[in-house]
C-alpha cells in the first residue's frame, strides 16, 4: 500500500530478540492521528516492538513509497536509526527524512552537520506536523517552519517555536504500535504496556535529565507543566479498556507523565481525574510517577487516587545521601525521600518502585557506600535498581560539566555516554567491572522481572480483597524478607569488591560467581512462591478475568 508519511521508532541498538513486553510510542501515536485526521495516509512502524533490523525497517519504509519519513530518536536507538537512514540513502529514497524527540532536539547541530538528514524538529511537533507534511509533499524545504532545523548552503537555519503546543485536544493516539503485534502473531504471549500521556513537563532540573532542556531550549516562551483536561484523559482510559480489555493481573494503564503530581494545578487535576473515574464507575488499575516531595503534600489525594484505582507509583530517588542528591540537583533532601517511602508503607496502599543511580564520576568511595546503605536500610533488593551508572545525554548540564572539567574521555560522544573518567579511581574500578561483567547477567534481569510481577500481583490481591487477608499479609512479608536478603547480598558484594580492590578481574570473577550463585538460589525460592501464588489466584478467578472483577 502506498503511504504519504511513515513515522518510525527504530529498534534499540542492543536488541537481539523480540521483546516480551511491548509499548506504544505516544509522541508518534499522536502525530499519526493528527495527520490521519487531515487526510494523510500514515504508516507507523514501531521497529523495536517488531524487532526489525535496520535493513528490514528500511525495506518497510521503501515499500510504503512515502514522501516524508520521520524518526523519533533516543540514545538507545540512535545507531540503528542512522544505519536505517544510510540504507535508505544508498537505495536512493527520495522522501524527506527528519528526526525528532529529546535526543535529536538537543543534539541537532551535530546530527545535521554529520548525517544525511533533511531536518530535525526541535521540541513538540503537534502544531507543525501538517506544515512539514505539506512542504514534503511539494518537495520544498522547511523554510519558515518554526521549530524545524535544517541546513542551507552549509549553514543551519533554525527559528525556535514561539510557545509549547496546547494540550486541550480530544483526539486519541493511534495504537498501531500494539495492535500490529496482535495482527502479526495473535497466539504469541506478549505483555502490553498500556500507556497514557496526560501532561508534559516537570518542575525538576536534574543534571542528567533531558526533560528540562527539551521543554526550555526550543521555545521562546514555555510553561513548566501542562496538563490535559480530566474528562479527556478519562475518555482515553475508557478507549484503552475497550480496545484491549486488559487482564486484571497482567495489564495496568501507565501514566507516562514526567511528574503526575508536581504542581498545585497537577494535584487539583488529579482529584478531577479520580472524580471522573469514580463517577463513570470505570474498573481499572493505574501507575504513575511522582517526586517524593509531591507525595507528601496531600495524603488525602493519595487515598482518593487509590480509591479510583491508582495502585502503583514510581519515585525517582536516584541518590541515597544529601551530598549525592545535591550532585544530581534533585532539589530534595534524603529525609523527604525517607518520609515519602514511610508514608507509602504506613498507608499500605500503593506499590512503589524507585529509580536509583549508584555510580557517578564525582562520588567518593565513602559516599558510594553511604548511598548503597540507604538502599539496604530501606530494604530495596532488586539487583537492577542497584547497578546503574549516570548517563551523559546531549544537552544536559552533566554532559557540559564532563567536558568543562576534562572528565570526558577522547571517545566520549552521544553514542558513548558512559565514556568518562571518575575522580575516585576505586569507584571507577568497581563501576567498570559491574557494568561490564554483572549488570547484564541473565539472572539479574530475570530476578527483576519476577519480583516486579509478584509485587504487581500482590498489590492487586490487597486491592481486590477476594483472598484471605492473612494469606496476602504472609505473602507480603515473605516478599519483603527476600527484598531485604537481596539488599544485604548486593551490599556485601560491593564491599567484597572494595576489600579486594587491587585484585584482577579474574579474581573478582570468583566473587561475582559467588554472588550470582546466591541470586540463583533466591530466584529458585521466589519462583516457587510465584507458582503457588498463581495457583491460588486461579482457584479464585477465571483466567480470562478482566479489570471488571
Amino acid at each position: 500500500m502506498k503511504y504519504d508519511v511513515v513515522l518510525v521508532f527504530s529498534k534499540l541498538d542492543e536488541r537481539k530478540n523480540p521483546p516480551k513486553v511491548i509499548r506504544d510510542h505516544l509522541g508518534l501515536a499522536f502525530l499519526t492521528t493528527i495527520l490521519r485526521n487531515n487526510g494523510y495516509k500514515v504508516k507507523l512502524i514501531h521497529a523495536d516492538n517488531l524487532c526489525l533490523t535496520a535493513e528490514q525497517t528500511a525495506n518497510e519504509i521503501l515499500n510504503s513509497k512515502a514522501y516524508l519519513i520521520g524518526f523519533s530518536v533516543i540514545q538507545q536507538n540512535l545507531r540503528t536509526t542512522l544505519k536505517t537512514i544510510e540504507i535508505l540513502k544508498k537505495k536512493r529514497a527520495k522522501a524527506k527524512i527528519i528526526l525528532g524527540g529529546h535526543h535529536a532536539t538537543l543534539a541537532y547541530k551535530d546530527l545535521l552537520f554529520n548525517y544525511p538528514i533533511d531536518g530535525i524538529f526541535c521540541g513538540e511537533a503537534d502544531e507543525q506536523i501538517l506544515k512539514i507534511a505539506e512542504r514534503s509533499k511539494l518537495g520544498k524545504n522547511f523554510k519558515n517552519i518554526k521549530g524545524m532545523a535544517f541546513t542551507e548552503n552549509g549553514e543551519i537555519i533554525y527559528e525556535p517555536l514561539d510557545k509549547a503546543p496546547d494540550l486541550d485536544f480530544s483526539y486519541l493516539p493511534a495504537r498501531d504500535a500494539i495492535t500490529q503485534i496482535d495482527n502479526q502473531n495473535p497466539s504469541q504471549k506478549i505483555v502490553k504496556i498500556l500507556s497514557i500521556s496526560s501532561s508534559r513537563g516537570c518542575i525538576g532540573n536534574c543534571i542528567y535529565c533531558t526533560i528540562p532542556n527539551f521543554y526550555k531550549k526550543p521555545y521562546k516562551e514555555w510553561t513548566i507543566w501542562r496538563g490535559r483536561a480530566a474528562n479527556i484523559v478519562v475518555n482515553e482510559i475508557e478507549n484503552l479498556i475497550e480496545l484491549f480489555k486488559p487482564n486484571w493481573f497482567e495489564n495496568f494503564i501507565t501514566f507516562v507523565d514526567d511528574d503526575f503530581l508536581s504542581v498545585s494545578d497537577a494535584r487539583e487535576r488529579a482529584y478531577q481525574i479520580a472524580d471522573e473515574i469514580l463517577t463513570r464507575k470505570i474498573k481499572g488499575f493505574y501507575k504513575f510517577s511522582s517526586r517524593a516531595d509531591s507525595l507528601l503534600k496531600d495524603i488525602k489525594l493519595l487515598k482518593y487516587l487509590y480509591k479510583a484505582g491508582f495502585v502503583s507509583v514510581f519515585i525517582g530517588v536516584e541518590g541515597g545521601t544529601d551530598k549525592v542528591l545535591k550532585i544530581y540537583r534533585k532539589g530534595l533532601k534524603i529525609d523527604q525521600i525517607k518520609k515519602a517511602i514511610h508514608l507509602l508503607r504506613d498507608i499500605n496502599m500503593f506499590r512503589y518502585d524507585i529509580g536509583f543511580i549508584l555510580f557517578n564520576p564525582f562520588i567518593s568511595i565513602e559516599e558510594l557506600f553511604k548511598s548503597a546503605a540507604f538502599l539496604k536500610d530501606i530494604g530495596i533488593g532488586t539487583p537492577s535498581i542497584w547497578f546503574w551508572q549516570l548517563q551523559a545525554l546531549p544537552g544536559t548540564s552533566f554532559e557540559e560539566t564532563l567536558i568543562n572539567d576534562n572528565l570526558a574521555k577522547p571517545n566520549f560522544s552521544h553514542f558513548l555516554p558512559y565514556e568518562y573518567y571518575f575522580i575516585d579511581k576505586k569507584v571507577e574500578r568497581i563501576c567498570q567491572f559491574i557494568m561490564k561483567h554483572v549488570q547484564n547477567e541473565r539472572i539479574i534481569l530475570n530476578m527483576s522481572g519476577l519480583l516486579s510481577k509478584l509485587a504487581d500481583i500482590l498489590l492487586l490481591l490487597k486491592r481486590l480483597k477476594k483472598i484471605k487477608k492473612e494469606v496476602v499479609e504472609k505473602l507480603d512479608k515473605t516478599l519483603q524478607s527476600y527484598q531485604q536478603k537481596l539488599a544485604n547480598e548486593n551490599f556485601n558484594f560491593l564491599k567484597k569488591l572494595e576489600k579486594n580492590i587491587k585484585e584482577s578481574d579474574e579474581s573478582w570473577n570468583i566473587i561475582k560467581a559467588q554472588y550470582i550463585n546466591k541470586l540463583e538460589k533466591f530466584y529458585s525460592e521466589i519462583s516457587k512462591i510465584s507458582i503457588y501464588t498463581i495457583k491460588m489466584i486461579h482457584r479464585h478467578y477465571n483466567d480470562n478475568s478482566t479489570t471488571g472483577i
Side-chain angles (χ1 to χ4, degrees):
M1 180 177 175
K2 187 178 184 303
Y3 291 90
D4 303 313
V5 180
V6 178
L7 299 178
V8 185
F9 182 73
S10 301
K11 180 177 72 68
L12 301 187
D13 300 338
E14 302 300 321
R15 174 82 66 202
K16 291 182 175 61
N17 300 307
K20 295 180 181 179
V21 178
I22 64 169
R23 63 196 75 222
D24 277 310
H25 186 298
L26 287 176
L28 295 182
F30 278 120
L31 295 181
T32 298
T33 296
I34 293 168
L35 288 163
R36 286 175 179 168
N37 286 349
N38 286 274
Y40 290 92
K41 293 181 179 178
V42 185
K43 185 177 182 66
L44 196 164
I45 303 173
H46 197 303
D48 191 58
N49 282 353
L50 297 167
C51 200
L52 300 179
T53 64
E55 184 80 36
Q56 291 169 326
T57 304
N59 288 335
E60 285 278 331
I61 294 168
L62 289 166
N63 290 337
S64 72
K65 297 179 170 53
Y67 48 75
L68 174 63
I69 305 164
F71 291 88
S72 181
V73 180
I74 60 174
Q75 193 280 326
Q76 292 90 340
N77 75 353
L78 179 59
R79 288 183 187 275
T80 306
T81 298
L82 295 175
K83 178 65 176 176
T84 304
I85 293 170
E86 180 186 339
I87 295 169
L88 290 171
K89 291 295 183 181
K90 281 183 180 178
K91 295 188 177 183
R92 302 183 184 278
K94 296 178 181 179
K96 296 282 188 184
I97 297 176
I98 65 172
L99 304 183
H102 288 219
H103 196 104
T105 294
L106 299 176
Y108 76 91
K109 291 180 181 178
D110 179 76
L111 291 169
L112 280 175
F113 276 134
N114 292 292
Y115 301 96
I117 299 161
D118 295 298
I120 292 178
F121 195 86
C122 300
E124 301 156 84
D126 308 58
E127 294 180 356
Q128 301 286 26
I129 189 63
L130 295 176
K131 291 180 184 178
I132 295 168
E134 183 63 23
R135 291 282 182 84
S136 301
K137 182 178 181 179
L138 297 173
K140 295 182 178 180
N141 67 20
F142 300 120
K143 204 163 189 176
N144 300 322
I145 296 182
K146 292 180 179 179
M148 180 63 79
F150 63 99
T151 56
E152 187 175 74
N153 300 322
E155 293 186 3
I156 291 178
I157 308 298
Y158 170 59
E159 184 180 355
L161 291 158
D162 290 327
K163 61 179 182 178
D166 185 1
L167 298 187
D168 280 334
F169 49 77
S170 58
Y171 52 81
L172 298 168
R175 298 289 177 178
D176 303 34
I178 294 182
T179 56
Q180 64 189 343
I181 297 291
D182 290 334
N183 294 337
Q184 288 217 349
N185 191 352
S187 64
Q188 189 176 358
K189 181 64 175 176
I190 294 176
V191 175
K192 301 179 181 72
I193 303 294
L194 307 180
S195 54
I196 284 181
S197 174
S198 77
S199 68
R200 299 177 190 173
C202 177
I203 62 172
N205 197 29
C206 303
I207 65 166
Y208 49 79
C209 187
T210 59
I211 290 169
N213 283 336
F214 178 78
Y215 290 112
K216 291 176 188 176
K217 287 189 175 181
Y219 305 107
K220 293 176 182 176
E221 296 180 14
W222 59 281
T223 304
I224 291 175
W225 183 91
R226 291 165 289 139
R228 297 166 64 198
N231 66 312
I232 293 173
V233 172
V234 179
N235 287 345
E236 194 170 322
I237 290 174
E238 285 187 315
N239 176 255
L240 267 178
I241 292 174
E242 182 181 348
L243 275 176
F244 298 105
K245 297 178 175 55
N247 184 296
W248 73 270
F249 66 89
E250 288 189 346
N251 296 101
F252 295 77
I253 293 175
T254 301
F255 283 73
V256 297
D257 305 32
D258 303 316
D259 191 342
F260 188 65
L261 301 175
S262 57
V263 294
S264 58
D265 286 349
R267 294 188 290 277
E268 181 181 343
R269 191 192 63 134
Y271 272 114
Q272 294 167 0
I273 290 172
D275 272 337
E276 286 279 343
I277 290 171
L278 291 167
T279 300
R280 302 188 200 185
K281 298 181 180 179
I282 299 171
K283 302 296 183 182
F285 297 113
Y286 316 103
K287 296 184 176 185
F288 66 100
S289 296
S290 176
R291 285 171 58 90
D293 52 345
S294 299
L295 294 172
L296 297 170
K297 289 176 179 175
D298 194 338
I299 299 174
K300 180 182 175 184
L301 171 59
L302 294 182
K303 293 180 178 180
Y304 197 54
L305 286 171
Y306 181 77
K307 183 179 179 182
F310 289 80
V311 291
S312 182
V313 57
F314 177 85
I315 312 168
V317 173
E318 318 310 357
T321 70
D322 285 337
K323 192 170 183 178
V324 174
L325 293 174
K326 188 174 181 180
I327 289 172
Y328 292 159
R329 213 163 59 201
K330 287 292 295 182
L332 291 169
K333 295 288 187 182
I334 200 67
D335 282 348
Q336 290 174 291
I337 293 170
K338 288 179 179 178
K339 284 179 182 177
I341 289 172
H342 287 309
L343 168 66
L344 293 174
R345 287 178 174 174
D346 288 344
I347 62 176
N348 195 28
M349 293 178 178
F350 295 92
R351 171 197 168 180
Y352 65 90
D353 286 316
I354 70 168
F356 202 84
I357 308 171
L358 184 60
F359 297 102
N360 72 72
F362 315 111
I363 196 170
S364 67
I365 193 71
E366 293 79 15
E367 204 67 27
L368 178 85
F369 279 98
K370 288 179 183 177
S371 201
F374 166 81
L375 283 179
K376 180 168 71 75
D377 292 345
I378 64 171
I380 299 290
T382 306
S384 61
I385 293 174
W386 278 68
F387 303 132
W388 281 98
Q389 179 183 352
L390 189 60
Q391 183 181 34
L393 295 172
T396 61
S397 57
F398 178 44
E399 180 196 50
E400 184 180 348
T401 299
L402 289 178
I403 294 168
N404 291 342
D405 291 359
N406 295 316
L407 291 174
K409 293 181 179 179
N411 60 338
F412 172 80
S413 70
H414 50 197
F415 293 108
L416 299 169
Y418 298 106
E419 291 299 316
Y420 53 77
Y421 301 107
F422 285 67
I423 293 172
D424 190 316
K425 296 306 174 184
K426 288 184 179 180
V427 176
E428 184 171 58
R429 170 97 163 88
I430 294 171
C431 178
Q432 288 179 346
F433 179 80
I434 287 176
M435 295 303 115
K436 184 178 180 180
H437 298 289
V438 180
Q439 187 190 46
N440 292 319
E441 282 280 341
R442 176 59 57 184
I443 182 59
I444 288 180
L445 302 176
N446 289 346
M447 178 72 81
S448 301
L450 179 61
L451 289 170
S452 177
K453 189 67 177 175
L454 272 172
D456 280 346
I457 292 173
L458 177 61
L459 71 88
L460 293 179
L461 290 177
K462 288 180 182 178
R463 172 66 186 241
L464 292 168
K465 298 178 181 178
K466 293 285 183 86
I467 292 172
K468 290 181 180 180
K469 183 179 178 181
E470 56 267 28
V471 174
V472 177
E473 287 178 348
K474 183 179 178 181
L475 177 61
D476 191 6
K477 288 179 181 178
T478 301
L479 286 179
Q480 287 181 32
S481 171
Y482 274 105
Q483 281 281 2
Q484 189 62 63
K485 289 175 183 177
L486 285 165
N488 295 340
E489 286 300 331
N490 297 337
F491 189 83
N492 291 337
F493 172 57
L494 289 172
K495 289 298 290 183
K496 287 178 182 178
L497 294 181
E498 184 209 14
K499 185 178 179 180
N500 296 275
I501 197 74
K502 294 181 181 180
E503 298 294 328
S504 65
D505 276 11
E506 288 75 14
S507 298
W508 274 15
N509 273 322
I510 296 172
I511 298 172
K512 186 197 89 168
Q514 294 169 345
Y515 169 67
I516 295 298
N517 285 339
K518 288 182 179 178
L519 292 189
E520 295 279 7
K521 179 176 178 290
F522 287 140
Y523 184 81
S524 176
E525 293 172 3
I526 298 169
S527 293
K528 292 176 183 177
I529 297 170
S530 176
I531 293 168
Y532 163 77
T533 305
I534 296 297
K535 286 181 177 178
M536 177 178 64
I537 290 168
H538 285 176
R539 286 198 298 269
H540 290 79
Y541 301 102
N542 184 287
D543 286 345
N544 296 318
S545 298
T546 68
T547 51
I549 291 176

